[in-house]
Every structure is written in structure tokens, then in C-alpha cells.
């Protein structure tokens, strides 16, 4: 996802927001494709004590789980796992699209509403991306850019409209997917983080 109107080098002073951006982007990357070797190595050597400082250690249980999962998997294993979980033959065990969770079908009205909101905010799908804009990765990328932009109201509005209604069910399904091993840990981290975000935006209403 791209936003022509947003400067990628916005000055950020809030360490909490910096961590939110990193987590949104990390989860977006892991949901869009299987992690490369460099990503697995980064996660396998994650400084868990530092990571746990986010949100007063409310995500403390998820970081060691993800670190261990990265240490135990291999590049080939995680590529096969991603294929089974998200792609499959026909479709994967988990369908990572908002329209699917909200209507039971792809390319439905939730996607049309999302496209309207994205257009109003100046976002457009990157030419290299073929998936519809309601893919969980695209939505997480948008949230990362909105946090970087610093407009709390815009973050709240976008999250509540396009992520809050289905993201927790998606995370639960990801954790429970039959083929998921590494992605069980990804699902747990996503569930804990997005639950925190949902609470954040409810409290700010």
C-alpha cells in the first residue's frame, strides 16, 4: 500500500508509536509472505526483554513464543507452512480477507467501502500487489502509515471500520490452523497486539 501524501520520514518522538509501527509492519510482512532467512534469524535472536516493554508487558507471553518458533523452524518448513495455511489448493486454511470474514465471500461490499476510505486518504494499491485491498497485510500496512502520520482520530476510525470487526477472529483461526506451527506464534502475537489496539481506540472514544 502506498500513500503519495505521506512523508516516509515523519519525525516520531513517542517510543510507543515507533514500536507500534514496527509491529504492524512485521505482522504485515509475515502475513503477506513466508519469512525470508534474514527475518527468521532476526526473530530467533529477538531481545525479548526489550520487546516486552511494549504496553507495560501486556504482550510478554507472545514474544518468547515467536522467538522459539523462529528458532525451531527452517526456511523450507515455514515456506511450506505458509503455502498450506494461506494459499492451499483452491484456498488455504485461513482466508486473510476482510470481505470473507464479514460476508463469507470475497470482493464484497466491505471491500468497496474500504476502497472509498483509502481513496479519500490518498492511499492506492502498489502496482506489484495483486491481492484486493482488504488483505490483512494491506490493512496492517495502512495502520503503520497512519500511526506514522500521527493522527489518532484517523487511526481510530480506520481500525474500527476495517480491522476491529474481524481481526480477532482471523487471529484465532490462524492460531488454530491445522498446518500452523510457526504461524501459531504469529497468530498469538497478532491477537495480543490487535486486542491492545482495539482497547486503545475504544478508550479514546
Amino acid at each position: 500500500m502506498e500513500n503519495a501524501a505521506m512523508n516516509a520520514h515523519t519525525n516520531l518522538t513517542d517510543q510507543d508509536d515507533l514500536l507500534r509501527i514496527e509491529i504492524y509492519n512485521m505482522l504485515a510482512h509475515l502475513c503477506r509472505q513466508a519469512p525470508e532467512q534474514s527475518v527468521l534469524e532476526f526473530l530467533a535472536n529477538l531481545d525479548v526483554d526489550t520487546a516486552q516493554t511494549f504496553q507495560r508487558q501486556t504482550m510478554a507471553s507472545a514474544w518468547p513464543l515467536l522467538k522459539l518458533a523462529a528458532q525451531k523452524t527452517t526456511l523450507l518448513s515455514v515456506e511450506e507452512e505458509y503455502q498450506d495455511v494461506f494459499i492451499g489448493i483452491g484456498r488455504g486454511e485461513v482466508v486473510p480477507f476482510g470481505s470473507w470474514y464479514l460476508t463469507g465471500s470475497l470482493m464484497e461490499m466491505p471491500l468497496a467501502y474500504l476502497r472509498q476510505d483509502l481513496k479519500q486518504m490518498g492511499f492506492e494499491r502498489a502496482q506489484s500487489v495483486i491481492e484486493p485491498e482488504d488483505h490483512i497485510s494491506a490493512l496492517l500496512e495502512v495502520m503503520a502509515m497512519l500511526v506514522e502520520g500521527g493522527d489518532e482520530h484517523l487511526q481510530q476510525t480506520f481500525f474500527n471500520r476495517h480491522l476491529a470487526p474481524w481481526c480477532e477472529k482471523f487471529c484465532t483461526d490462524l492460531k488454530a490452523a491445522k498446518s500452523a506451527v510457526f504461524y501459531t506464534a504469529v497468530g498469538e502475537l497478532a491477537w495480543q497486539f490487535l486486542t491492545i489496539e482495539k482497547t486503545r481506540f475504544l478508550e479514546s472514544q
Side-chain angles (χ1 to χ4, degrees), residues 54 128 139 180:
F54 178 73
S128 60
L139 300 178

Side-chain angles (χ1 to χ4, degrees), residues 97-111:
F97 295 95
S99 288
W100 178 269
Y101 274 91
L102 297 173
T103 70
S105 300
L106 298 176
M107 308 290 286
E108 294 291 340
M109 286 308 297
L111 176 58

Side-chain angles (χ1 to χ4, degrees), residues 1 14 24-25 27 31 48 58 66 89 100 104 110 112 114 123-124 138 155 157 182 184 186 198 205:
M1 196 66 63
D14 191 326
Y24 270 121
N25 280 326
L27 291 174
C31 289
V48 174
T58 52
L66 183 61
I89 300 175
W100 178 269
L114 170 63
F123 287 94
E124 60 182 18
Q155 296 170 43
T157 300
F182 173 81
T184 295
V186 174
K198 188 174 183 178
Q205 287 181 343

Side-chain angles (χ1 to χ4, degrees), residues 8-73:
H9 300 287
T10 302
N11 291 326
L12 294 167
T13 57
D14 191 326
Q15 185 66 24
D16 187 59
D17 281 347
L18 286 169
L19 287 168
R20 290 171 66 209
I21 292 167
E22 290 177 2
I23 296 170
Y24 270 121
N25 280 326
M26 179 185 71
L27 291 174
H29 183 81
L30 293 174
C31 289
R32 187 174 295 285
Q33 63 187 62
E36 303 90 338
Q37 186 63 42
S38 59
V39 175
L40 286 179
E41 291 174 359
F42 168 78
L43 294 174
N45 293 285
L46 192 66
D47 185 344
V48 174
D49 291 335
T50 299
Q52 287 176 351
T53 61
F54 178 73
Q55 290 287 340
R56 299 177 298 280
Q57 299 191 357
T58 52
M59 295 172 64
S61 63
W63 293 114
L65 182 64
L66 183 61
K67 180 176 182 177
L68 181 62
Q71 291 172 342
K72 296 297 184 181
T73 195

